[in-house]
Amino acid sequence: MCGITGYTGFNQAGPILLDGLKRLEYRGYDSAGIAVQGEEEIMMLKATGKVSHLVDKYNDTPDFKGVCGIGHTRWATHGIPSDTNAHPHLSADGKFAVVHNGIIENFAEIRAELEKYGIEFKSETDTEVIVQLLAHNYKGNFKMALMKTIAKLEGSYAIGVISADHPGTIFCARLSSPLIIGLGLEENYFASDITALVSNTKDVIDMDDGEVAELTPEGVKIYDHAGREINKAVRHITWDIASAEKSGYEHFMMKEIMEQPQALKATIEPRVKDEEIVFDELKLDMKKFNRVHITACGSAYHAGCVGRGIIEALCRIPVEAEVASELRYRDPIMDDKTLVIVISQSGETADTIAAMKECKYKGATVLAIVNVVGSSIAKLADHCLYTWAGPEIAVATTKGYTTQVVLLAMFAVWAAGELKTISHGAYTSMVKDIMRLPERAQRALDLNSRVMKMADKYYDNQSLFFIGRNMDYAVALEGSLKLKEISYLHSEAYAAGELKHGTIALIEPGRLVVALCCYEKLLDKTISNIQQVKARGARVLAVAHEGNRAIVTEADDVLFVPVTDPLLVPVIEIIPMQLFAYYVAKKNGCDIDKPKNLAKSVTVE
Ligand code: M6R
């Protein structure tokens, strides 16, 4: 989705903006642009396609000079990807330029009103109304014109604006879209995402809804919705630029797959003291709730499906898991005795935000499981537990997912302890198994070269199935999504027992079926489903626990992973599936980190 960045200081803004845009590329986009305050006027460069096209244009324009500017990567929502629709957008009088992340819902109404004044629009975008309205409202005071403008906007926005009449000044504003200010020495920055800033500064201010920031080289002022100056805390980022770069890996996805043992460790260890799970940050009375709803999108929803199983098994409380895009419109039955767990790596997913707002409106208590510190979901939730996965850049989530699952498992054990639904022995054994997950994840990663061979063997299957039962089924959902999103192969996940109710008609000689077989309580059942597809000519690639002899005679190939508690199976079992998706996509020549049509953070409905 769109990304924004800006710089004011004493260096040339162009290279700094382009570097920031390159770091925002992972979010998904189809055009990009930058604008700087030139000697006499605002200068702009735009390009459809990759940021590298914009860099070429910049290198071919030696006059493009200025020490204050804004930049944007656009993921088209209103109007096709084109140079005209790309941001920044300029006001008709050429005095203001804006970059915007979000959607202005009442843009048609504002546009019609401004057109009555004879203002001519150049693009089809919702964003252009912001800059045209700003110029229309401007009577010499930049801040006042901006406050008046944003008061009229409905929807979501993180914006950065420059003015030809105010050299060195950038104004930013936010409503329901992420915005961070970066603090430097006689130079300051803004961006929609820390990764765009972290090579320049590690001191940031998280903007909240309704706030406006004024950036000059000398300093940053933050104002509340009424324009009063306020003090905001400065946050120091603890991870460095290497975390946001590939560190020698060919793709971010592979780097992030390999980082899982470390990410799991970072998420688990600070929360285990004397074999007890301690959430210092969580003040939640579990006895208050008679049911739990889990909601999220995509892989985070798949993590939620695992969480449902673990919480129900350990806490004996009814749990539902539902995709946020459905829950938000379903008028769900919930009240103040309902705990809603929302899960999101980015913390900015529009459907998840809308669903959590709906749940809060109905009186539920919301606990968020989020990776990005200070994100919208983290802020809106009543309680928040962070996964400490570090920045995740590849569109296909890997360490984001496994850290979500482990945190849900830890929450379930903790909650079962609070509710006294778990014996001391079972509690201690779960904690021990959770503590061993980083090492077991490392052993699962040792399958790397064997998985590569499996990908060589099976990469040209145009349509395949993932099957499993219980926890294995939850992994099938995630394994299948991983494969299709980066390799563009058709794949479906099926509860193994459900296959015979229709889908088995699609099994034909040579069809690949990936059978997840680590949930051993139901292994016999899954094996009989394997036999059913084999009888119809399918080839079977199984994932099973080390020492499982039964599977060897049933499947064509087996990937053996370390044994773990049945409820923790997904954390380990998904790892060879992530590697499989990666190598199949690579064999098929796909753009692994930036799959077509996808965005890292889906901030539109
Ligand atoms: O940032 P979130 O966890 O809220 O994102 C939710 C989904 O968009 C995300 O998991 C998506 O399905 C991934 N691309 C899957 O790899």
Side-chain angles (χ1 to χ4, degrees):
M1 299 276 134
C2 306
I4 60 174
T5 190
Y7 169 81
T8 178
F10 52 87
N11 283 305
Q12 280 304 310
I16 295 170
L17 297 172
L18 291 169
D19 179 64
L21 295 186
K22 274 195 218 142
R23 295 183 195 284
L24 291 172
E25 278 189 299
Y26 77 97
R27 295 173 63 94
Y29 71 104
D30 38 46
S31 57
I34 54 175
V36 294
Q37 289 168 340
E39 288 267 301
E40 283 161 15
E41 55 176 9
I42 292 177
M43 302 172 78
M44 284 204 307
L45 287 175
K46 299 181 183 191
T48 310
K50 300 280 177 201
V51 171
S52 57
H53 301 165
L54 188 64
V55 173
D56 291 343
K57 282 196 177 173
Y58 175 77
N59 291 335
D60 290 343
T61 319
D63 294 344
F64 193 88
K65 292 213 176 324
V67 291
C68 174
I70 52 180
H72 190 268
T73 50
R74 173 173 187 254
W75 190 82
T77 56
H78 297 68
I80 56 161
S82 66
D83 286 9
T84 313
N85 287 333
H87 301 209
H89 289 286
L90 206 57
S91 56
D93 61 6
K95 293 279 186 196
F96 296 93
V98 70
V99 286
H100 165 224
N101 183 9
I103 289 186
I104 305 304
E105 284 164 6
N106 58 340
F107 82 98
E109 187 187 312
I110 300 176
R111 182 168 173 149
E113 222 172 280
L114 291 170
E115 279 172 341
K116 281 193 208 142
Y117 290 98
I119 294 168
E120 278 182 32
F121 281 74
K122 289 202 173 65
S123 75
E124 301 157 85
T125 65
D126 54 331
T127 299
E128 196 182 341
V129 300
I130 303 173
V131 75
Q132 301 292 17
L133 183 61
L134 177 64
H136 180 72
N137 287 336
Y138 182 66
K139 306 281 178 277
N141 185 320
F142 194 176
K143 180 183 154 199
M144 268 177 62
L146 181 74
M147 301 293 299
K148 192 168 172 194
T149 301
I150 59 175
K152 196 114 198 236
L153 305 179
E154 286 168 20
S156 62
Y157 54 80
I159 52 177
V161 202
I162 53 173
S163 157
D165 291 347
H166 299 266
T169 300
I170 302 175
F171 271 97
C172 302
R174 135 170 199 156
L175 185 72
S176 303
S177 212
L179 180 62
I180 293 142
I181 309 298
L183 307 175
L185 212 58
E186 292 177 25
E187 44 189 358
N188 291 301
Y189 313 79
F190 76 84
S192 47
D193 187 322
I194 290 174
T195 44
L197 301 179
V198 77
S199 59
N200 299 311
T201 178
K202 287 175 142 196
D203 292 321
V204 300
I205 295 174
D206 298 307
M207 296 287 286
D208 286 303
D209 280 350
E211 292 175 353
V212 168
E214 181 180 5
L215 282 65
T216 59
E218 293 76 39
V220 170
K221 289 182 182 167
I222 313 284
Y223 306 102
D224 68 8
H225 67 282
R228 292 172 296 230
E229 195 173 341
I230 54 171
N231 286 323
K232 296 269 296 183
V234 175
R235 178 160 67 92
H236 187 73
I237 298 163
T238 48
W239 49 270
D240 58 13
I241 189 65
S243 315
E245 286 177 345
K246 285 188 207 154
S247 311
Y249 287 98
E250 194 180 342
H251 298 99
F252 280 112
M253 184 178 176
M254 183 50 91
K255 175 184 174 245
E256 289 158 6
I257 289 174
M258 292 298 168
E259 281 173 350
Q260 287 178 106
Q262 184 47 41
L264 289 167
K265 210 170 172 186
T267 303
I268 297 166
E269 280 189 358
R271 287 149 169 159
V272 180
K273 289 175 192 142
D274 301 326
E275 293 191 342
E276 224 181 281
I277 291 175
V278 182
F279 289 121
D280 289 328
E281 67 270 52
L282 193 61
K283 309 275 172 265
L284 196 62
D285 177 11
M286 278 308 292
K287 296 184 191 79
K288 188 177 148 193
F289 306 113
N290 60 15
R291 69 170 112 171
V292 177
H293 279 254
I294 301 179
T295 191
C297 300
S299 295
Y301 164 71
H302 297 157
C305 293
V306 178
R308 172 182 54 200
I310 312 179
I311 297 169
E312 278 197 341
L314 299 183
C315 302
R316 304 312 299 155
I317 184 170
V319 187
E320 279 181 39
E322 189 172 8
V323 288
S325 54
E326 286 294 312
L327 182 83
R328 67 183 286 190
Y329 293 118
R330 201 170 53 78
D331 193 10
I333 299 167
M334 50 179 70
D335 55 27
D336 59 356
K337 294 193 182 65
T338 311
L339 174 67
V340 173
I341 304 180
V342 297
I343 310 167
S344 174
Q345 188 284 129
S346 63
E348 301 297 346
T349 302
D351 283 321
T352 311
I353 293 175
M356 78 184 280
K357 284 184 178 163
E358 176 68 14
C359 297
K360 281 187 85 163
Y361 173 74
K362 287 182 176 287
T365 299
V366 174
L367 164 66
I369 291 190
V370 177
N371 192 40
V372 177
V373 176
S375 55
S376 302
I377 291 178
K379 283 184 183 153
L380 281 167
D382 300 302
H383 306 272
C384 181
L385 289 174
Y386 284 110
T387 50
W388 296 115
E392 195 179 60
I393 309 292
V395 165
T397 182
T398 51
K399 61 178 182 170
Y401 168 84
T402 43
T403 51
Q404 284 163 356
V405 172
V406 80
L407 197 47
L408 283 160
M410 294 181 83
F411 172 77
V413 177
W414 171 84
E418 296 286 301
L419 295 169
K420 305 202 185 328
T421 51
I422 190 169
S423 70
H424 179 69
Y427 182 105
T428 312
S429 152
M430 280 301 284
V431 173
K432 280 188 179 151
D433 262 349
I434 287 171
M435 293 288 281
R436 294 197 61 187
L437 285 172
E439 170 241 318
R440 287 174 177 155
Q442 187 58 58
R443 280 174 46 215
L445 286 170
D446 294 343
L447 286 166
N448 194 14
S449 52
R450 169 134 174 87
V451 179
M452 200 192 308
K453 285 195 191 115
M454 292 297 106
D456 281 353
K457 183 170 173 184
Y458 293 117
Y459 76 96
D460 57 352
N461 253 263
Q462 287 310 303
S463 173
L464 56 154
F465 291 94
F466 284 71
I467 59 168
R469 287 169 180 262
N470 197 293
M471 286 296 163
D472 286 332
Y473 173 48
V475 178
L477 291 168
E478 176 59 5
S480 171
L481 175 63
K482 215 78 311 173
L483 185 79
K484 66 188 140 197
E485 74 178 318
I486 59 168
S487 71
Y488 320 144
L489 297 181
H490 170 253
S491 128
E492 280 189 52
Y494 260 83
E498 190 62 14
L499 209 61
K500 58 188 176 294
H501 296 289
T503 316
I504 202 158
L506 297 173
I507 300 294
E508 55 188 39
R511 174 81 72 231
L512 178 63
V513 175
V514 180
L516 286 315
C517 302
C518 292
Y519 191 74
E520 293 186 344
K521 288 184 186 170
L522 296 172
L523 183 61
D524 290 352
K525 306 286 170 200
T526 308
I527 285 185
S528 69
N529 300 127
I530 290 176
Q531 287 162 347
Q532 289 159 6
V533 296
K534 287 284 293 178
R536 285 156 183 85
R539 290 187 291 172
V540 172
L541 168 63
V543 185
H545 274 163
E546 288 165 352
N548 178 345
R549 285 169 180 274
I551 200 72
V552 180
T553 48
E554 305 294 344
D556 295 86
D557 292 287
V558 186
L559 295 166
F560 287 108
V561 293
V563 180
T564 190
D565 184 280
L567 296 177
L568 302 174
V569 151
V571 180
I572 305 303
E573 192 177 35
I574 193 60
I575 290 175
M577 296 296 89
Q578 296 167 342
L579 290 167
F580 185 68
Y582 175 87
Y583 287 119
V584 169
K586 199 169 166 194
K587 279 293 280 184
N588 284 302
C590 303
D591 189 351
I592 292 180
D593 282 339
K594 284 169 256 155
K596 67 178 179 195
N597 303 338
L598 291 180
K600 179 66 180 163
S601 171
V602 185
T603 51
V604 296
E605 192 173 351

